[in-house]
Amino acid sequence: MKSLAFVGAATAALGLALATTSPGIASADENSSPFEFREAPPSEMDKHLAREGLASRAKSQLHMNAAIDDLAPGEFAWLDARAVNGNTSIVVDLSDQKAYVMKSGILVGVSTISSGKPGHDTPTGTFEILEKNVEHYSNLYDDAPMPYMQRLTWDGIALHAGRLPGYPASHGCIRLPHEFAAELFAETDIGTTVTVTS
């Protein structure tokens, strides 16, 4: 799988600009969370708007660099701003078949994905990583390998490394490029938020 490396002063400057000057982006406070500003539990509408806001924010930051806007199947990119401190979250957009990695609201990485094919649709919503396993095999689909598995539901939906043909082709899981899946695995914890939008 091919990855796009972003090195040099220009990209570092972009990363710093994303971290320090983009309007509407949360500060890099390690304890911040988009859902901690309310005393009462958020309503379903609040959760929906928050999910849509995360996807829109990720996309608007991504469009600041056209080079990573046109990733081919299997490609991914980590930005220099990856060094920012804070909580990691993931936004998966099924409509553009990409996953966006954020830290405290700052875009730090993007990858192409392959989600569930028709009849095996990937569910949308907000999930937390329930389990992580570097070497995992499906108990539903003939012991199919699921390297760097990060479970989102107890009925078989997970992030993991796999084949990326450029369109939805899985049984509901979110497939990632192998190298990206390994690096993302190191960036997340049990409880990391994954928002899947359509």
Side-chain angles (χ1 to χ4, degrees):
M1 301 284 176
K2 180 180 177 185
S3 69
L4 299 178
F6 288 84
V7 295
T11 309
L14 172 64
L16 290 173
L18 287 174
T20 59
T21 63
S22 296
I25 294 176
S27 66
D29 176 2
E30 189 171 21
N31 297 316
S32 69
S33 165
F35 300 111
E36 289 180 359
F37 299 110
R38 300 182 158 272
E39 290 183 17
S43 67
E44 288 305 309
M45 179 57 76
D46 293 329
K47 291 178 184 177
H48 171 75
L49 293 173
R51 288 193 296 269
E52 294 304 312
L54 283 173
S56 297
R57 186 186 305 169
K59 284 183 179 179
S60 67
Q61 291 180 45
L62 179 65
H63 289 302
M64 295 177 71
N65 190 330
I68 59 175
D69 200 17
D70 297 319
L71 296 173
E75 291 184 334
F76 63 90
W78 288 108
L79 306 182
D80 286 342
R82 186 180 180 189
V84 70
N85 292 324
N87 295 326
T88 298
S89 62
I90 302 163
V91 178
V92 176
D93 192 322
L94 302 178
S95 65
D96 68 5
Q97 291 289 283
K98 288 191 177 77
Y100 303 92
V101 183
M102 316 282 278
K103 275 195 176 178
S104 295
I106 300 167
L107 180 67
V108 295
V110 62
S111 176
T112 54
I113 68 160
S114 181
S115 60
K117 60 188 174 184
H120 294 277
D121 299 317
T122 301
T124 59
T126 301
F127 306 89
E128 291 185 353
I129 293 173
L130 303 171
E131 178 186 17
K132 297 176 62 167
N133 191 347
V134 171
E135 186 177 348
H136 183 79
Y137 296 89
S138 173
N139 55 8
L140 297 176
Y141 300 106
D142 301 320
D143 287 328
M146 300 169 66
Y148 299 102
M149 184 276 295
Q150 301 190 69
R151 184 182 300 280
L152 302 182
T153 72
W154 292 115
D155 60 354
I157 305 300
L159 298 161
H160 65 82
R163 186 176 69 88
L164 284 92
Y167 51 84
S170 79
H171 283 97
C173 286
I174 299 161
R175 295 181 188 163
L176 304 165
H178 194 276
E179 184 181 345
F180 182 85
E183 294 179 358
L184 182 63
F185 193 92
E187 291 284 332
T188 61
D189 297 301
I190 301 296
T192 293
T193 300
V194 179
T195 302
V196 182
T197 66
S198 56

